């Protein structure tokens, strides 16, 4: 990409870099290392009858911004431009509270030999190691040029959970005036990827809904999948290290969040979630208590699908109990169809619970090309039947496949839709 910005005078550039260097030295000298000084204030800490309050996160956000400056200044071949810097009031999601926070918009020019996505990955690694939160990353435009936009912020206590807030929006773009190459950023030239995706692509019709199972063990795969821009739905396992974080991220990106409900498989020795699993031999009361516990741990999900569950979903009494609770909470049920004997979908229809069932699993193999081949099988089913629901998992190679071939899949003519569009 031959993108250029106007050259500024060497004196102006020298002044900018001196100023930024002074900021970095001050940040280090004052001991403003965010990872060791996170605020313990609770932004939802109110007593019954209290008016909704506005909590100041100005100190926390300024510390985070100073730390980010220090990270960016590690790159003496990048150009940092501050486009906006202001104090703002931001609403706290799912509450009447607000926070007061300092927010910036930065543009960062990188050499044309540096991958924008590679630069974003480098930045993500650095900010997370420092205790900041990498909230999102996606393709964008800066002026008329291709760019990559990253949101970085802080996480603070919010009642029984936490909330993340953006302190900096960083737009990475190519500046042809910058000649010094990066040595520590993986070379992933966007032009090469685009070229690979320009070939002839077979055309299909129909709607395709993709569900990402087993979310919650980590954040990396989920972020990669979200960054494809495809309207995946995300089934989150309860009680995992990042279950709540995934839920918050998925909701913030406008995607469909679901509870991935642990249910008993035919082989009890293969049961992955132990005592968190709904089992056929439990009483109706025990099943309900466990289901409610999992739903309460992930407030904001809009539906449920089964994790494992080949035995439980084949048991009418178990499914009647589970679906009765989902109906009372206005949640849908996706039958993952881990067994052909499952009665989940049929009982859901009888009980008036919005439902659907999985048609195909995409990543029984972890090989990227094998997953790609399965995606094309799903597209062929959509072309034949009008629509298809497919399940894959939040795993590194699955995410890698979608990141690599998302552009190609989008050109096939199918319409990717959220799962909620294919319920009946």
């Amino acid at each position: 990409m031959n993108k250029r910005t106007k050259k500024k005078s060497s004196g102006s550039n020298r002044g900018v870099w001196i100023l930024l260097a002074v900021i970095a030295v001050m940040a280090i000298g004052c001991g403003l290392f965010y990872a060791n000084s996170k605020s313990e204030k609770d932004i939802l800490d109110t007593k019954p009858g209290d008016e909704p309050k506005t909590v100041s996160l100005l100190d926390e956000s300024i510390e985070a911004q100073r730390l980010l400056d220090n990270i960016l200044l590690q790159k003496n071949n990048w150009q940092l431009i501050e486009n906006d810097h202001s104090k703002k009031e931001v609403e706290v999601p799912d509450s009447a509270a607000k926070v007061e926070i300092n927010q910036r918009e930065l543009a960062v020019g990188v050499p044309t030999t540096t991958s924008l996505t590679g630069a974003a990955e480098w930045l993500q690694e650095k900010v997370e190691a420092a205790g900041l939160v990498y909230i999102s990353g996606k393709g964008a435009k800066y002026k008329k040029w291709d760019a990559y936009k990253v949101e970085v912020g802080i996480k603070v206590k919010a009642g029984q959970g936490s909330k993340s807030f953006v302190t900096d929006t960083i737009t990475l773009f190519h500046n042809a005036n910058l000649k010094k190459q990066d040595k520590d950023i993986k070379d992933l030239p966007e032009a090469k990827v685009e070229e690979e995706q320009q070939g002839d692509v077979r055309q299909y019709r129909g709607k395709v809904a993709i569900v990402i199972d087993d979310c919650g063990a980590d954040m990396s795969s989920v972020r990669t999948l979200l960054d494809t821009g495809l309207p995946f739905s995300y089934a989150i396992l309860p009680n995992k290290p990042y279950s709540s974080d995934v839920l918050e991220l998925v909701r913030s990106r406008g995607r469909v969040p679901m509870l991935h409900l642990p249910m008993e498989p035919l082989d009890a020795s293969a049961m992955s979630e132990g005592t968190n699993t709904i089992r056929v031999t439990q009483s109706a009361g025990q099943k309900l208590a466990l289901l409610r516990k999992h739903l309460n741990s992930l407030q904001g999900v809009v539906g449920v699908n089964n994790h494992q569950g080949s035995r439980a979903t084949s048991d009418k009494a178990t499914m009647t109990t589970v679906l009765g609770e989902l109906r009372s909470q206005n949640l849908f049920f996706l039958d993952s169809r881990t067994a052909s004997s499952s009665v989940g979908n049929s009982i859901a229809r009888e009980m008036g619970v919005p439902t659907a069932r999985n048609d195909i699993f995409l990543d029984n193999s972890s090989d990227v090309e094998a997953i790609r081949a399965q995606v094309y099988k799903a597209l062929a089913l959509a072309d034949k039947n009008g629509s298809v629901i497919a399940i894959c998992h939040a795993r590194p190679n699955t995410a890698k496949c979608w990141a690599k071939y998302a552009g190609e899949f989008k050109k096939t003519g199918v319409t990717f839709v959220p799962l909620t569009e294919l319920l009946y």
Side-chain angles (χ1 to χ4, degrees):
M1 289 178 282
N2 296 320
K3 299 166 176 67
R4 298 181 178 272
T5 57
K6 288 184 178 179
K7 279 191 176 182
K8 297 183 179 179
S9 71
S10 59
S12 174
N13 281 337
R14 190 180 302 113
V16 170
W17 288 115
I18 291 173
L19 175 60
L20 291 174
V22 170
I23 291 173
V25 171
M26 290 176 62
I28 297 170
C30 296
L32 295 173
F33 191 72
Y34 181 74
N36 294 324
S37 61
K38 290 181 180 178
S39 172
E40 293 300 319
K41 66 178 64 169
D42 186 345
I43 60 173
L44 297 182
D45 183 19
T46 57
K47 297 177 182 179
D50 285 354
E51 292 292 324
K53 62 180 181 180
T54 298
V55 177
S56 174
L57 296 179
L58 292 176
D59 290 342
E60 291 83 354
S61 55
I62 290 172
E63 285 188 19
Q65 290 166 348
R66 287 171 175 169
L67 180 57
L68 178 63
D69 287 341
N70 195 36
I71 291 170
L72 291 171
L73 282 170
Q74 294 177 32
K75 293 291 188 183
N76 60 10
N77 57 333
W78 288 12
Q79 177 195 44
L80 177 61
I81 305 165
E82 184 176 288
N83 289 326
D84 184 63
H85 191 167
S86 59
K87 180 174 66 177
K88 296 181 181 178
E89 275 197 356
V90 178
E91 293 183 355
V92 179
D94 304 317
S95 79
K98 296 181 179 180
V99 296
E100 190 176 41
I101 190 168
N102 211 47
Q103 292 187 329
R104 298 188 302 182
E105 292 184 7
L106 304 176
V108 177
V110 303
T112 55
T113 54
T114 298
S115 159
L116 297 179
T117 54
E121 289 172 2
W122 177 88
L123 185 58
Q124 177 180 350
E125 178 182 353
K126 296 296 182 182
V127 299
E128 290 182 342
L132 300 176
V133 181
Y134 183 96
I135 295 174
S136 69
K138 61 182 178 179
K141 287 286 185 181
Y142 179 67
K143 298 182 179 178
K144 62 180 180 179
W145 308 315
D146 290 336
Y148 198 88
K149 183 176 289 186
V150 169
E151 290 183 326
V152 172
I154 55 176
K155 179 184 289 186
V156 294
K157 183 177 174 61
Q160 298 300 309
S162 62
K163 299 288 184 184
S164 295
F165 297 93
V166 175
T167 58
D168 289 274
T169 300
I170 306 113
T171 302
L172 299 157
F173 69 98
H174 282 138
N175 182 348
N177 292 321
L178 304 175
K179 301 298 184 182
K180 187 175 180 180
Q181 295 187 11
D182 278 306
K183 296 181 180 179
D184 59 344
I185 291 180
K186 187 177 180 181
D187 185 21
L188 294 171
E190 286 77 12
K192 182 178 179 181
V193 175
E194 290 170 1
E195 183 180 337
E196 290 175 352
Q197 295 177 351
Q198 289 300 319
D200 292 335
V201 176
R202 180 175 173 180
Q203 294 298 294
Y204 298 88
R205 295 174 297 176
K207 295 182 178 181
V208 178
I210 305 293
V211 178
I212 310 297
D213 272 1
D214 292 358
C215 300
D218 65 60
M219 297 290 287
S220 179
S221 296
V222 172
R223 284 198 188 99
T224 299
L225 290 161
L226 283 165
D227 288 346
T228 64
L230 291 168
F232 299 141
S233 303
Y234 295 81
I236 306 166
L237 280 167
N239 306 302
K240 295 299 179 184
Y242 297 96
S243 297
S244 297
D245 293 319
V246 170
L247 174 63
E248 183 178 335
L249 181 59
V250 168
R251 295 185 68 196
S252 73
R253 299 286 285 273
R255 302 309 184 198
V256 174
M258 302 161 55
L259 166 64
H260 197 32
L261 179 64
M263 302 188 80
E264 184 180 2
L266 286 174
D267 181 2
S269 66
M271 192 165 61
S272 68
E273 303 306 305
T275 56
N276 287 315
T277 305
I278 289 179
R279 305 185 67 171
V280 170
T281 54
Q282 293 168 336
S283 68
Q286 290 172 319
K287 294 168 186 172
L288 279 176
L290 197 51
L291 173 58
R292 289 167 180 167
K293 172 188 171 184
H294 293 329
L295 288 171
N296 287 335
S297 75
L298 291 170
Q299 294 187 22
V301 297
V302 296
V304 172
N305 75 326
N306 55 290
H307 170 68
Q308 299 186 323
S310 50
R311 183 180 182 193
T313 59
S314 300
D315 183 71
K316 184 174 182 179
T318 298
M319 292 312 301
T320 300
T321 298
V322 168
L323 291 165
E325 183 64 19
L326 300 190
R327 181 177 59 187
S328 70
Q329 295 202 30
N330 296 314
L331 302 173
F332 69 77
F333 176 71
L334 170 68
D335 189 339
S336 299
R337 292 185 73 196
T338 54
S340 59
S341 56
S342 174
V343 295
N345 180 250
S346 60
I347 293 179
R349 296 183 72 176
E350 292 172 6
M351 296 179 66
V353 176
T355 187
R357 63 181 185 179
N358 174 43
D359 295 304
I360 184 173
F361 286 97
L362 302 178
D363 55 355
N364 289 332
S365 166
S366 62
D367 180 77
V368 169
E369 295 306 316
I371 297 169
R372 179 192 184 206
Q374 281 295 102
V375 173
Y376 274 106
K377 287 184 180 179
L379 303 189
L381 285 174
D383 190 69
K384 177 182 178 182
N385 301 324
S387 66
V388 69
I389 296 171
I391 290 178
C392 52
H393 299 79
R395 299 170 183 160
N397 275 13
T398 301
K400 184 177 179 180
C401 177
W402 283 105
K404 183 176 182 179
Y405 293 113
E408 178 181 300
F409 297 147
K410 291 175 185 177
K411 293 176 183 177
T412 61
V414 300
T415 303
F416 287 93
V417 298
L419 174 63
T420 47
E421 192 167 318
L422 297 184
L423 299 175
Y424 50 85

